[in-house]
Amino acid sequence: MRLFGLYAIYQNQEFELVEHSESRWKIPGDTEYWLLTDNPGAAALGFGEVRPGRYKKRVPPEDLSFAFRKDTHATYKGFEFKADPMKDGQVELFVPNTPEMRELFRGREIENYDRSLNIVKIPLDEIETFTQVWKPLKSWLDYISSKK
C-alpha cells in the first residue's frame, strides 16, 4: 500500500491520481485527471483495464469529491520519518544519511536512496505512530473555485 502521492475521492472511494496538463501553466480547466487502481471492482465504475490487474479512468475535476497530496510519517524510537510503502508487514522509512541515523539503524539493512537519504525497512510492530496529512491539490482547488 502506497502511503504518499496524489489521490482523489471519487464515488466515496480513494484512488491514485495522475494529474496531466498539456501546457506548462496550470490554468483552471486545462488539467486532466486520471484515476488508477488495482481493484477489479472498479470496472463497475467505468474503469478500463490498462494492463493485467491495473485499471484507469479519466474523470472530470467536478466529479471528484476531493483531490489531494498524501504524505505519511512514521515515528520510530522517537524520530519521525517519511514512510512509504507498506508491504509484507514492513514499512520503508526515508532516513537522513547522518552518523546519528546510521547509529540508530545499526544492524539493519540500509539502502542508499540518494546522497543525503537512505531507506530502511522496519517491521510494522516496531513503528510507534503513523501521521498522515492530506493537502488539497492546488490545480483541483483552482478549478473548483473558478466554477463558483
Side-chain angles (χ1 to χ4, degrees):
M1 173 190 333
R2 305 255 350 145
L3 301 174
F4 74 84
L6 299 181
Y7 294 86
I9 303 298
Y10 173 72
Q11 300 289 321
N12 296 319
Q13 296 179 51
E14 181 180 309
F15 295 96
E16 295 173 53
L17 176 71
V18 174
E19 181 183 36
H20 178 73
S21 177
E22 290 294 328
S23 70
R24 289 185 353 176
W25 312 105
K26 296 283 184 186
I27 301 166
D30 81 334
T31 303
E32 289 187 349
Y33 297 94
W34 291 89
L35 302 178
L36 301 167
T37 185
D38 296 333
N39 180 357
L45 296 174
F47 282 69
E49 192 170 29
V50 291
R51 62 179 159 81
R54 193 69 169 156
Y55 303 86
K56 177 168 89 170
K57 179 178 182 174
R58 181 175 178 240
V59 178
E62 60 270 13
D63 288 356
L64 301 176
S65 301
F66 190 51
F68 57 98
R69 175 174 302 284
K70 180 193 294 186
D71 283 314
T72 302
H73 292 195
T75 304
Y76 173 76
K77 294 191 177 182
F79 293 91
E80 189 174 282
F81 304 97
K82 193 167 194 170
D84 183 63
M86 266 194 303
K87 185 177 178 186
D88 299 328
Q90 296 198 19
V91 64
E92 290 184 355
L93 303 180
F94 291 82
V95 177
N97 188 7
T98 64
E100 178 186 28
M101 292 297 113
R102 285 192 298 276
E103 180 63 27
L104 179 67
F105 293 103
R106 187 171 11 148
R108 300 229 185 231
E109 184 178 333
I110 298 174
E111 177 185 330
N112 188 270
Y113 182 75
D114 67 24
R115 177 178 284 165
S116 64
L117 204 58
N118 293 320
I119 296 174
V120 181
K121 292 181 181 176
I122 299 293
L124 284 174
D125 63 354
E126 294 183 30
I127 300 296
E128 296 160 16
T129 61
F130 283 100
T131 306
Q132 201 168 78
V133 176
W134 291 12
K135 183 178 179 183
L137 199 56
K138 184 177 178 347
S139 63
W140 179 76
L141 280 176
D142 289 348
Y143 177 81
I144 298 302
S145 297
S146 73
K147 294 299 174 189
K148 290 183 179 178

